């Protein structure tokens, strides 16, 4: 019984002596080390440690360090009178207490820091995971907000589509008029070009015919040759003589005009008109015009 009481007193004294350098999270009476991320738990542990130490040595209010000299003083008569026998159990207890005190005082901080660093790393990883979860939830919230506005977007799209169709209908009512105007202008330009080509061809043909006729006339008549030569010499000398060649060309064109006025043959004009109508109908068919021309050159709508 004395051995158990003495062991208990010495153990409590050693534990109290090392509590000053112990971490704030250490609970008195326990040889354990742990780390906590919450300051509230450390504060509670300190409060428990203070409250448990109010009694002092055997409730007298004295420091528990006095247990050491009292234990030594009591151990002398106990050992002398052989009330307490120092054996291998006592030595083993002393060695174990020395190991506990040494480990507590020398390696406690290292163990505490290691455990505390592990707690910090765990807390950091936990925060990273929480950040990722929060970010994912924020993305989901944005997607839900976007879906919430989808109805308004579709309503706006339908409104724009309806307005566009109305504008297209108005433009569709005007577009045929513009197309018809462009087609008529195209045909008029084609007629002007064809008439210009026919006129040019007629001029070239008349000039060729007039040149051949005047050349043949002057070649066969010596008097005309002499008159042309005299007129040329007079012009070279600065005189004013009538040109028989010019007079011959003028007379040819007068005779040609009179013959054309007296002639009732319009086959050439009909052929030219038919060729022009065929060409215009070909363009109208290829380009899908609203009209085409009949044999008399009158336009008619294409059904």
């Amino acid at each position: 019984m004395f051995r158990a009481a003495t062991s208990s007193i010495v153990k409590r004294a050693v534990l109290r002596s090392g509590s000053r350098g112990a971490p704030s999270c250490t609970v008195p009476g326990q040889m354990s080390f742990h780390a906590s991320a919450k300051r509230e738990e450390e504060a509670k542990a300190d409060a428990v440690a203070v409250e448990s130490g109010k009694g002092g040595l055997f409730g007298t209010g004295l420091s528990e360090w006095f247990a050491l000299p009292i234990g030594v003083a009591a151990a002398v008569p106990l050992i002398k009178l052989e009330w307490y026998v120092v054996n291998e159990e006592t030595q083993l207890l002393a060695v174990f207490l020395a190991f506990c005190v040494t480990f507590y005082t020398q390696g406690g901080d290292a163990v505490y820091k290691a455990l505390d660093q592990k707690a910090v790393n765990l807390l950091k990883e936990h925060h990273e995971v929480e950040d990722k979860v929060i970010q994912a939830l924020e993305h989901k919230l944005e997607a839900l907000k976007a879906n919430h506005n989808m109805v308004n977007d579709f309503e706006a799209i339908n409104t724009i589509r309806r307005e566009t169709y109305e504008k297209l209908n108005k433009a569709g009512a005007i577009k045929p008029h513009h197309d018809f105007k462009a087609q008529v202008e195209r045909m008029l330009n084609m007629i002007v070009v064809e008439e210009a080509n026919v006129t040019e061809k007629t001029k070239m043909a008349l000039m060729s015919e007039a040149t051949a006729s005047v050349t043949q006339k002057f070649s066969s008549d010596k008097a005309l040759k002499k008159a042309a030569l005299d007129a040329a010499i007079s012009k070279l000398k600065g005189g004013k003589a009538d040109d028989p060649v010019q007079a011959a060309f003028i007379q040819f064109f007068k005779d040609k005009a009179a013959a054309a006025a007296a002639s009732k043959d319009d086959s050439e004009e009909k052929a030219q008109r038919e060729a022009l109508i065929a060409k215009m109908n070909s363009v109208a068919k290829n380009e899908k015009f609203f009209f085409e021309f009949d044999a008399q050159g009158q336009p008619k709508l294409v059904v």
Side-chain angles (χ1 to χ4, degrees):
M1 183 178 70
F2 289 108
R3 183 174 60 182
T6 305
S7 300
S8 177
I9 293 172
V10 173
K11 183 179 181 181
R12 291 180 60 186
V14 171
L15 291 176
R16 291 299 181 185
S17 64
S19 63
R20 290 182 298 175
S24 59
C25 61
T26 304
V27 180
Q30 296 180 357
M31 294 297 292
S32 62
F33 307 95
H34 64 90
S36 174
K38 297 183 179 180
R39 299 299 180 184
E40 293 81 359
E41 295 180 359
E42 295 179 357
K44 291 180 180 180
D46 293 338
V48 172
V50 173
E51 290 178 359
S52 61
K54 287 182 178 180
L57 183 62
F58 299 113
T60 59
L62 297 175
S63 176
E64 293 182 352
W65 278 99
F66 287 101
L68 186 59
I70 294 174
V72 173
V76 173
L78 290 176
I79 296 173
K80 180 67 175 176
L81 298 176
E82 294 183 355
W83 291 349
Y84 177 75
V85 179
V86 178
N87 54 12
E88 61 277 4
E89 293 180 358
T90 305
Q91 296 175 358
L92 182 61
L93 175 61
V95 172
F96 178 73
L97 291 177
F99 169 76
C100 292
V101 172
T102 303
F103 180 78
Y104 183 80
T105 56
Q106 301 299 324
D109 291 338
V111 175
Y112 170 76
K113 290 179 180 179
L115 295 177
D116 186 68
Q117 184 64 33
K118 184 176 180 180
V120 170
N121 294 334
L122 290 174
L123 184 62
K124 182 179 179 181
E125 294 176 358
H126 181 69
H127 287 169
E128 291 177 354
V129 173
E130 285 183 346
D131 292 338
K132 292 181 180 179
V133 173
I134 292 172
Q135 187 176 4
L137 293 176
E138 289 178 351
H139 287 309
K140 186 175 182 180
L141 179 61
E142 292 177 357
L144 292 175
K145 288 182 178 179
N147 292 333
H148 179 70
N149 296 327
M150 190 178 295
V151 177
N152 297 330
D153 295 338
F154 279 117
E155 290 179 353
I157 292 172
N158 291 331
T159 303
I160 295 173
R161 184 185 293 112
R162 184 166 52 254
E163 294 176 354
T164 304
Y165 285 153
E166 293 176 356
K167 293 179 180 179
L168 288 175
N169 291 331
K170 293 179 180 179
I174 300 174
K175 188 176 184 300
H177 298 283
H178 289 282
D179 294 340
F180 183 74
K181 178 176 178 294
Q183 294 170 6
V184 172
E185 290 178 352
R186 174 75 181 278
M187 288 300 174
L188 292 176
N189 292 332
M190 185 181 296
I191 293 172
V192 171
V193 172
E194 289 296 327
E195 288 182 349
N197 293 333
V198 171
T199 303
E200 189 66 25
K201 289 179 181 179
T202 304
K203 286 181 181 181
M204 295 296 294
L206 287 173
M207 287 300 298
S208 298
E209 186 179 355
T211 302
S213 177
V214 171
T215 301
Q216 183 180 2
K217 186 176 181 180
F218 274 81
S219 298
S220 61
D221 193 346
K222 293 181 179 181
L224 291 177
K225 287 182 180 180
K226 185 177 183 304
L229 181 59
D230 292 340
I233 293 171
S234 177
K235 287 184 179 180
L236 291 175
K237 292 180 179 181
K240 294 182 180 179
D242 294 334
D243 188 0
V245 178
Q246 183 178 2
F249 273 101
I250 292 173
Q251 186 61 38
F252 174 81
F253 285 119
K254 285 181 179 181
D255 295 341
K256 196 70 174 177
S263 177
K264 296 182 179 180
D265 186 11
D266 57 350
S267 59
E268 186 177 357
E269 294 180 357
K270 288 181 179 180
Q272 292 176 356
R273 184 172 65 246
E274 289 176 358
L276 178 60
I277 291 172
K279 187 175 182 179
M280 290 190 299
N281 285 334
S282 176
V283 173
K285 184 177 180 180
N286 291 332
E287 298 186 9
K288 297 180 180 180
F289 282 7
F290 297 143
F291 59 91
E292 61 183 13
F293 298 93
D294 57 9
Q296 287 73 30
Q298 297 294 326
K300 61 179 181 180
L301 294 176
V302 177
V303 179

